[in-house]
Amino acid sequence: MLIRTENVTKIYELGAVEVRALRGVTFGIEEGEYVAIMGPSGSGKSTLMHILGCLDTPSTGRYFLNGTEVSELHGRALARVRNQEIGFVFQNFNLMPRVDLVANVALPLVYHGGINRADRRKQAVSALDSVGLGHRLKHRPNELSGGERQRASIARALVTEPSILLADEPTGNLDQKTGREIMALLDELSAAGKTVILVTHDSNVAAHARRTVEIEDGAIAREGRA
Amino acid sequence: MDILESIGSGLASIRSHKLRSGLTLFGIVMGVAAVVAMTSFVGGIAERIWADFDKLGLDNVLFVGNMQPVNPEGYAYLKASKGLSFEDTEILRAEVDEILAITPVVADYRVVRAGSEARRAEIFAATPDGFFLLKFELGQGRFLSDMDVDNNARVAVLGEIVKEDLFGDANAVGEDILIGDEHFRVVGVLRQKDFSDMFGESGQEENHQRVYIPITAGMYYISGTRRIAYFAVRLKSDADLATGYDKIHNTLLREHRQIEDFQIENVAEEILRARQQVQEIVNVWNGILSTIATVSLLVGGIGLLSVLIISVNERLREIGIRKAVGAEDRAIFQQFLIESVTISIFGGLVGVGLGVGLTKLMTFGAQQMGQDIVIPVSGGGILLGLSFAIGVGILFGLYPAIKASKLDPIEAISRYA
């Protein structure tokens, strides 16, 4: 099992009010699976994604990733897990506007440690090639279309060869045609053996996955297989 | 994040916000420029004063003269002793370790002739030590030698002004002159040193109005007695002045049967005190300049701080992205601190340029006002200014860098900035 959560909760304290974003989530994902985590906004799916992506830690419960109990990690160790195990694809791409695509895609390698600048660029170029952006290396994000930006963000997610590709509403900022192209790219990656987790409220997007996990009110409401 | 990229990021931040960076850097630029210009100015003036002291050449020099009686009792008292003698110098030289050089001096005015030219000049009779002691430089020929002293030789070294008056541009060495009625042969001519500005030409010009002859010839042909007018003494440069003074005083008292028929003019002490006074003034100026520099650098630092905080807030999303892809807090901290130091070094370099310009302007201004002075740019000032700039970059970059490194990536990444 690549991912396993045991009764994970997340409680935010907003002044005197306690907000229970997650009320005990237990589930697992096998290596190579293609899973969609679904739910309306406010359901807690974003919180779950942040925990799965090691951007946040559970209030209680345990989270195992690739055999490591990451719910016990903090600071540097958690940053290393993010760097080496997880590739994020964001709805709004989150590319750095001031630098070109190669530098954007090479960014995770900067924090990987022990890779020199030339090798970082080489790996970034090959990741950009693999998503069909080999002709856009020197362009800055604002010189690209939305689809191209999302491809670049996927290239950045892939460049460290992480265990998981974690895509948060990957088509949310794209038109339908471009959205389909991006989903086709994610399908390809899944077919090639990558573990892909989609976080979405869009059932058309979720339909690409082979398993869906629906979150409602901070807990798993339904699970289904395609 | 490697260091080069952080430096590049700092420079990019200066480039993309020229006006803001310019205003921020203004304080640092002015502070560093003030350090460079003021250090150069104070250092340059002080150096010039030290050089004037050196040219004067009276450090560690004492003069020992005969006491003049002021009343009949004093006259009787002084009669009981023999006064300064040639032998005293030999005893002092042998017994006082602090003495580097000592010469007895006999001096009087005579008419000096060469061919048809004549002038009145001070005839200064001393030993070869005297030339060394008074830091004379030789223009032509040679100085007097010990053999000249031993042989009562009638040889003379001319001050340059005397030489010009008597010989003009013609060669003097080897020529015959008349001092009073006695024939002397010229063996050397002094070379005129450049005079000190501060002390004027007075002290040194007279050196070149003199004719120098061996002390023995002086006693025989000029004074006609074995009494010596005064001693000129130079102490070793590392000797304690007070100890040297006391030893000379005590040795002379002993030789003169405890009768104080001599007085020691402690020129060295006066020069030392003058140097200390100058040093105190320099210290006060350095204090003033440090205060000015510190205040303007603090002001510059606060400007830097505010701009860095703005910069962190503008780049929340960038920080969030970096953290999401695996940047540790430390890497973010390092990036922002290096940016801060890069900006402050940039300001420091501009400040150094401005400071060098100001220093050159001061030289130019002084020369326009007819002062023949060059204020050298102080390397120490440049170093000091740049270290100040780096210090400000680190000190005022700390808070923004810590703030950036502690940001929550989820919150940071959800911002649109």
Side-chain angles (χ1 to χ4, degrees), chain A residues 28-38 183-200 202-214 222-226:
Chain A
I29 295 174
E30 299 283 357
E31 193 170 347
E33 264 198 289
Y34 196 178
V35 181
I37 296 172
M38 293 191 67
M183 289 316 298
L185 177 57
L186 291 173
D187 292 350
E188 264 175 53
L189 291 167
S190 169
K194 230 5 157 201
T195 308
V196 179
I197 303 174
L198 302 169
V199 179
T200 183
D202 183 341
S203 51
N204 290 329
V205 170
H208 286 258
R210 273 186 289 286
R211 178 154 77 99
T212 54
V213 177
E214 287 184 47
R222 278 173 290 288
E223 290 198 58
R225 283 182 186 277

Side-chain angles (χ1 to χ4, degrees), chain A residues 15-73:
Chain A
V17 188
E18 270 193 359
V19 178
R20 294 175 157 270
L22 293 177
R23 298 164 179 271
V25 174
T26 302
F27 81 124
I29 295 174
E30 299 283 357
E31 193 170 347
E33 264 198 289
Y34 196 178
V35 181
I37 296 172
M38 293 191 67
S41 68
S43 63
K45 72 175 192 304
S46 289
T47 304
L48 181 59
M49 182 201 75
H50 292 148
I51 289 173
L52 292 179
C54 298
L55 286 169
D56 208 346
T57 49
S59 301
T60 65
R62 304 166 84 186
Y63 169 27
F64 295 90
L65 171 60
N66 220 352
T68 311
E69 182 169 3
V70 290
S71 45
E72 292 202 320
L73 302 180

Side-chain angles (χ1 to χ4, degrees), chain A residues 89-107:
Chain A
V89 177
F90 299 99
Q91 176 175 0
N92 56 19
F93 325 127
N94 276 331
L95 297 168
M96 296 201 298
R98 291 190 300 181
V99 296
D100 66 16
L101 285 195
V102 175
N104 260 295
V105 172
L107 187 65

Side-chain angles (χ1 to χ4, degrees), chain B residues 124-402:
Chain B
F124 190 95
T127 63
D129 256 12
F131 293 97
F132 166 60
L133 194 153
L134 294 168
K135 296 200 166 167
F136 290 163
E137 286 169 23
L138 193 63
Q140 297 144 32
R142 64 172 176 84
F143 283 135
L144 301 177
S145 70
D146 288 328
M147 224 200 289
D148 296 332
V149 174
D150 293 344
N151 295 343
N152 275 6
R154 287 193 282 176
V155 292
V157 172
L158 303 183
E160 199 178 18
I161 296 167
V162 176
K163 183 258 171 191
E164 271 166 23
D165 288 349
L166 296 181
F167 293 94
D169 291 336
N171 176 48
V173 176
E175 298 297 323
D176 220 40
I177 56 171
L178 270 175
I179 298 177
D181 300 328
E182 302 294 334
H183 286 275
F184 278 73
R185 190 164 48 82
V186 177
V187 296
V189 179
L190 294 187
R191 185 157 65 93
Q192 207 158 329
K193 290 186 287 185
D194 55 340
F195 296 130
S196 115
D197 295 314
M198 186 168 64
F199 304 106
E201 300 181 354
S202 56
Q204 296 160 74
E205 191 173 299
E206 70 183 24
N207 292 337
H208 295 278
Q209 308 260 26
R210 291 180 181 145
V211 174
Y212 299 88
I213 62 172
I215 182 68
T216 43
M219 290 188 290
Y220 193 82
Y221 297 107
I222 305 296
S223 69
T225 80
R226 287 194 66 78
R227 268 178 75 98
I228 298 297
Y230 61 92
F231 305 153
V233 186
R234 183 178 289 277
L235 300 180
K236 290 172 183 163
S237 58
D238 59 348
D240 181 53
L241 273 183
T243 312
Y245 179 96
D246 286 346
K247 280 195 188 171
I248 291 169
H249 186 259
N250 294 340
T251 306
L252 285 176
L253 264 187
R254 188 193 71 210
E255 291 299 311
H256 293 207
R257 291 182 290 167
Q258 302 302 324
I259 291 173
E260 194 156 354
D261 59 346
F262 57 90
Q263 51 190 354
I264 302 177
E265 191 192 348
N266 198 341
V267 178
E269 180 75 31
E270 288 162 28
I271 297 281
L272 194 66
R273 210 175 302 130
R275 277 183 183 265
Q276 280 165 351
Q277 278 168 0
V278 172
Q279 186 60 53
E280 275 167 33
I281 294 168
V282 168
N283 289 348
V284 168
W285 272 102
N286 280 333
I288 292 170
L289 108 85
S290 314
T291 310
I292 293 171
T294 307
V295 168
S296 57
L297 284 167
L298 284 179
V299 171
I302 289 166
L304 179 65
L305 177 71
S306 63
V307 165
L308 288 171
I309 290 173
I310 294 169
S311 168
V312 168
N313 288 332
E314 278 180 354
R315 290 159 66 188
L316 287 177
R317 200 152 75 99
E318 176 197 326
I319 297 163
I321 296 167
R322 288 180 182 279
K323 287 195 151 191
V325 301
E328 295 169 14
D329 291 1
R330 203 181 50 180
I332 301 291
F333 172 79
Q334 183 191 309
Q335 178 191 347
F336 276 85
L337 194 63
I338 290 174
E339 272 191 47
S340 168
V341 173
T342 303
I343 293 172
S344 68
I345 287 178
F346 182 85
L349 289 174
V350 174
V352 165
L354 188 62
V356 169
L358 282 174
T359 307
K360 301 234 182 269
L361 200 66
M362 283 193 277
T363 299
F364 178 77
Q367 285 174 348
Q368 287 299 302
M369 290 190 294
Q371 296 290 315
D372 178 28
I373 190 168
V374 173
I375 297 166
V377 174
S378 160
I382 290 177
L383 222 60
L384 188 71
L386 282 181
S387 336
F388 255 117
I390 292 169
V392 164
I394 292 173
L395 191 66
F396 291 93
L398 273 179
Y399 173 71
I402 290 172

